[in-house]
Amino acid sequence: MISKNGRGILVFLETDIYGIKEVSLEMIGKAMELAGETGKIYGAAVGDDVQALESALSERLSGYPLEKLFLYEKRGCFEAAAWESAFTDCVTRTNPDILLIGGTRKGRYFAGRVAVRFRTGVTADCTGLRIGQDELIQTRPAFGGNIMADIVTDHSLPRIATVREGIFKAPEAGKPRKIPVFKGEVAGSEGVELISETPIPRERGIVGQQVLVACGRGVRKKEDIAMMRKLAEEVGGELASSRALVEKGWMPQSRQIGLSGNVVSPKLLITCGISGTIQFQTGMRTAKNIIAVNTDAEAPIFNIAHHPIRADLYDVVPGLLSIINREIRNT
Amino acid sequence: MRIAVCMKQVPALSDGGMDEKTGTLIRSGQKAVPNIYDLSALEAALRSRESAEDENFAIDVYTMGPKSAEALIREAYAYGADHGYLICDSKFAGADVLATSYTLARAIRENGPYDLVFCGKQTTDGDTSQVSAALAKWLELPSFSGVTDVRIIQENGKDRIYLKQRLDDRVLTLKAGLPSLIAVEKETFPARMPSLKLRLRAGKKEITRIEAGSFRPESGGIKEKEYFGQKGSATRVIRIFPPERAEKHPVAELDGKEAGKQILDIWEGLGLRKERNHDFEERARDSGLS
């Protein structure tokens, strides 16, 4: 049973060198919706310098209705066990009904630990969260991603849900006000020693692109990926992939569209040889224009595409490339 | 050195099959295979054994599933695993992250101690990537997920691990103590080809079956059966349903040439041709080509 009044929601706030992550703001937005009129929203963050955390967060979040910010200092680098300790402390202090965690790498690395610490449930990669009659209803694709499931955590607290970036909308900020801050400290495991940190350069990935070409199981050989990449380049976009090709090792996971990959919303998405499981659709349903090329007239991708085309990508793509070569290349 | 590797048997096609009209799952006739991410966990363990000069280095595989999951253990034997444990009991069925991780932890603790526990990044059917961290907590081990490199090293006469852990924006290079739990990335640990010689022997190798009654009672007298299976799960599925459908557009039956033409028309109609040409000019200018 979920509290009718004064429902508490704790949100994991994650920062990187650019400040607070978008997914954390999206979680605050969802928390505002779930809290209703009487609920309380708390935010918690962990970092190696609590002062830096405070300056990154307290002003940036002043327009959102947060009851309190819990900031924990952990010297050195990220450690899942230390993040768990911080959330153990914060959950004990705030006793929330719900804990929302962005489905980032850090979030995924520690969420399960907190769930076991409180002997509660964690529902990963939710695509919907709402208060039902007397429960939090967590919706996610299930059984390999071809069907949706409504899931409840009905006899333990807090209910933990993780959500990928891009699933919910970040809220508008309201009038700024000062949010009270609590500061704490957590330690890492004995014997863990940081040797070095190497930043991963931000590549021209698939998130935020206007045009994407996505390929899937319809691609027969690994060598044919080059043809798909060529098409993506020629139409001024980037090449993306379904999960099938990532599992085959033909495409990197960083270019995967779908729930366990990226959520994208380009102006134009051209899918070639992708059947379109629900977990894939979850990652692209907000694309403005979807062209789907597939040989199977019953493919689920045709239920969501604006321009479903029944054809073999091998009949379409080479011809398309030669038209581009002839007519567009030199204009 | 003793390593436990957790593996799961999954349906061969990760996107399974669903009857679009009735919304029911088509599971029958689907071949079961080892979860591809777990083969990378096994690969990481095998590499560690190869680089160690330790005759007593043991790699034990743990899997929870139906009796048919024996096939996964035989497969693991063909790759080079030393011993396999099949955690199999109707009392374990219907387990969520909490109950699955507890049951695995219980089996590992019963047959431990282990220096390292290796897991895959996620499964292709459940797709939650939560079990490894949860398992680490039950075992009270530090956990390192997203690991792209791991080596056992000696420092002051003690075994430690050197590892690289991937976060979203950086890679951490760390040293850590043993025991620890490691969840590996698939990309840097592609599974090798199983050995024919080992495969021939795999059929005769023993598999230890673990049932709910196999465990020695835990200290503290907890009612352990409340931790297993559906009973031990914190989450409950209350409804499954096919997702909402947008208005379906009629499927165009086109030959390759017509299809290509239509795609280009849509692309141009959205003004993307102009944007692309503009981009190409800029890039050409940047690289000093024009």
Side-chain angles (χ1 to χ4, degrees):
Chain A
M1 188 86 112
I2 199 152
S3 314
K4 284 258 182 298
N5 291 308
R7 196 175 290 149
I9 303 173
L10 173 61
V11 179
F12 169 45
L13 304 172
E14 188 173 347
T15 56
D16 58 18
I17 50 169
Y18 307 100
I20 187 161
K21 285 201 162 195
E22 189 67 16
V23 69
S24 300
L25 294 175
E26 293 165 7
M27 294 298 94
I28 292 175
K30 186 41 95 172
M32 286 161 63
E33 200 184 302
L34 296 174
E37 305 264 294
T38 53
K40 291 184 163 61
I41 305 170
Y42 308 95
V46 194
D48 69 345
D49 178 348
V50 79
Q51 295 309 332
L53 269 184
E54 186 172 12
S55 47
L57 292 176
S58 79
E59 205 172 315
R60 178 74 180 82
L61 296 177
S62 62
Y64 302 106
L66 294 182
E67 203 65 22
K68 201 166 188 176
L69 275 177
F70 291 81
L71 307 177
Y72 294 90
E73 187 158 286
K74 154 70 176 74
R75 285 276 157 206
C77 60
F78 170 79
E79 276 181 64
W83 261 242
E84 171 215 320
S85 304
F87 277 80
T88 297
D89 183 76
C90 194
V91 166
T92 310
R93 286 173 194 278
T94 56
N95 199 23
D97 293 88
I98 300 167
L99 167 57
L100 298 181
I101 296 176
T104 59
R105 280 186 181 262
K106 280 184 189 170
R108 298 203 301 277
Y109 293 176
F110 81 85
R113 300 189 68 105
V114 181
V116 170
R117 169 61 185 76
F118 291 97
R119 266 192 83 188
T120 186
V122 51
T123 306
D125 299 335
C126 295
T127 56
L129 290 170
R130 63 182 201 281
I131 305 289
Q133 219 152 37
D134 52 9
E135 259 311 330
L136 173 72
I137 300 181
Q138 306 160 105
T139 307
R140 81 179 299 266
F143 303 116
N146 254 335
I147 198 159
M148 305 298 289
D150 280 346
I151 298 167
V152 295
T153 305
D154 49 7
H155 54 262
S156 53
L157 287 177
R159 298 153 182 89
I160 305 178
T162 75
V163 184
R164 295 274 177 158
E165 180 169 315
I167 297 283
F168 298 133
K169 274 210 165 69
E172 301 274 321
K175 229 206 243 154
R177 49 183 256 300
K178 194 153 174 51
I179 307 169
V181 173
F182 167 91
K183 288 177 199 166
E185 205 178 318
V186 287
S189 304
E190 208 181 308
V192 176
E193 191 188 324
L194 176 67
I195 315 278
S196 64
E197 293 185 65
T198 319
I200 299 171
R202 291 238 266 197
E203 62 156 12
R204 198 180 141 91
I206 61 169
V207 176
Q209 295 295 336
Q210 289 281 331
V211 183
L212 290 175
V213 173
C215 54
R217 214 188 287 282
V219 175
R220 290 179 213 133
K221 301 194 299 292
K222 190 175 181 182
E223 298 77 70
D224 298 338
I225 297 286
M227 166 179 87
M228 302 308 303
R229 188 175 299 117
K230 181 89 186 131
L231 176 61
E233 271 170 29
E234 290 294 353
V235 295
E238 289 287 325
L239 183 64
S241 163
S242 74
R243 188 168 68 183
L245 297 191
V246 174
E247 282 171 13
K248 282 188 176 182
W250 294 3
M251 288 287 291
Q253 192 161 30
S254 60
R255 290 189 171 254
Q256 182 192 332
I257 294 175
L259 197 56
S260 53
N262 299 279
V263 178
V264 298
S265 45
K267 198 163 169 185
L268 175 64
L269 171 67
I270 307 172
T271 71
C272 299
I274 291 179
S275 65
T277 59
I278 300 316
Q279 76 86 19
F280 179 81
Q281 292 187 21
T282 304
M284 47 69 85
R285 62 172 64 253
T286 53
K288 314 292 176 299
N289 297 279
I290 302 163
I291 303 176
V293 177
N294 201 298
T295 50
D296 177 8
E298 300 298 313
I301 191 80
F302 287 160
N303 298 330
I304 188 173
H306 306 99
H307 306 281
I309 300 174
R310 186 179 173 200
D312 187 338
L313 74 95
Y314 285 90
D315 294 332
V316 178
V317 177
L320 191 50
L321 284 172
S322 67
I323 307 180
I324 292 174
N325 240 329
R326 261 198 330 270
E327 296 175 17
I328 298 178
R329 255 284 160 87
N330 304 311
T331 53
Chain B
M1 181 74 55
R2 297 188 72 210
I3 296 186
V5 182
C6 299
M7 300 182 74
K8 187 184 181 191
Q9 196 180 48
V10 297
L13 282 181
S14 59
D15 38 16
M18 188 182 69
D19 187 318
E20 275 288 311
K21 286 175 194 85
T22 62
T24 53
L25 291 162
I26 309 163
R27 300 207 119 182
S28 56
Q30 272 239 38
K31 226 177 99 195
V33 295
N35 173 38
I36 189 167
Y37 294 93
D38 298 341
L39 286 177
S40 292
L42 180 58
E43 176 65 28
L46 293 169
R47 287 189 199 174
S48 310
R49 188 176 61 189
E50 281 153 9
S51 55
E53 285 167 28
D54 177 1
E55 279 177 20
N56 298 316
F57 201 109
I59 298 174
D60 291 349
V61 167
Y62 286 83
T63 192
M64 185 160 111
K67 190 163 183 309
S68 56
E70 273 190 1
L72 175 141
I73 292 179
R74 304 240 174 259
E75 190 74 16
Y77 286 159
Y79 282 95
D82 294 303
H83 194 73
Y85 293 88
L86 175 63
I87 307 166
C88 177
D89 193 315
S90 57
K91 292 195 180 71
F92 299 146
D96 69 353
V97 171
L98 186 70
T100 302
S101 58
Y102 178 79
T103 312
L104 284 169
R106 192 65 180 82
I108 288 171
R109 211 181 312 140
E110 186 84 2
N111 297 289
Y114 288 94
D115 301 290
L116 284 166
V117 179
F118 279 51
C119 296
K121 178 189 173 134
Q122 64 193 68
T123 58
T124 54
D125 59 346
D127 218 356
T128 70
S129 67
Q130 298 292 333
V131 171
S132 56
L135 169 62
K137 179 61 186 167
W138 284 117
L139 295 170
E140 287 296 352
L141 296 179
S143 53
F144 304 93
S145 308
V147 169
T148 57
D149 187 11
V150 55
R151 281 172 236 170
I152 298 163
I153 53 168
Q154 272 77 40
E155 257 180 14
N156 307 322
K158 258 187 156 169
D159 283 330
R160 281 169 61 75
I161 43 172
Y162 164 96
L163 60 97
K164 288 187 191 291
Q165 178 180 39
R166 202 188 152 133
L167 303 179
D168 285 317
D169 62 344
R170 68 194 65 194
V171 175
L172 306 178
T173 303
L174 302 168
K175 282 183 194 168
L178 299 179
S180 285
L181 180 141
I182 307 280
V184 303
E185 292 284 294
K186 181 166 89 58
E187 279 73 14
T188 49
F189 297 101
R192 63 193 59 198
M193 290 297 286
S195 132
L196 189 60
K197 200 174 82 191
L198 290 173
R199 189 184 290 286
L200 289 173
R201 256 188 255 154
K204 286 188 221 99
K205 262 179 92 108
E206 218 177 292
I207 292 172
T208 304
R209 182 161 165 164
I210 299 177
E211 294 171 6
S214 317
F215 300 121
R216 289 185 294 264
E218 286 263 79
S219 56
I222 58 165
K223 283 192 194 146
E224 194 157 45
K225 59 176 194 283
E226 289 173 10
Y227 286 69
F228 295 135
Q230 203 147 27
K231 230 176 172 174
S233 295
T235 59
R236 192 161 58 86
V237 174
I238 54 168
R239 183 169 79 107
I240 56 172
F241 57 101
E244 276 173 48
R245 285 234 184 114
E247 194 195 333
K248 192 170 171 171
H249 298 267
V251 177
E253 303 264 351
L254 301 175
D255 69 25
K257 207 169 158 192
E258 291 165 344
K261 180 88 184 42
Q262 195 192 358
I263 292 171
L264 281 182
D265 285 348
I266 296 163
W267 175 66
E268 243 185 305
L270 293 169
L272 292 167
R273 178 174 173 171
K274 265 191 215 135
E275 282 182 33
R276 171 247 188 216
N277 287 348
H278 181 73
D279 267 12
F280 272 50
E281 279 163 26
E282 269 191 0
R283 270 190 246 170
R285 224 185 355 260
D286 289 349
S287 56
L289 290 175
S290 63

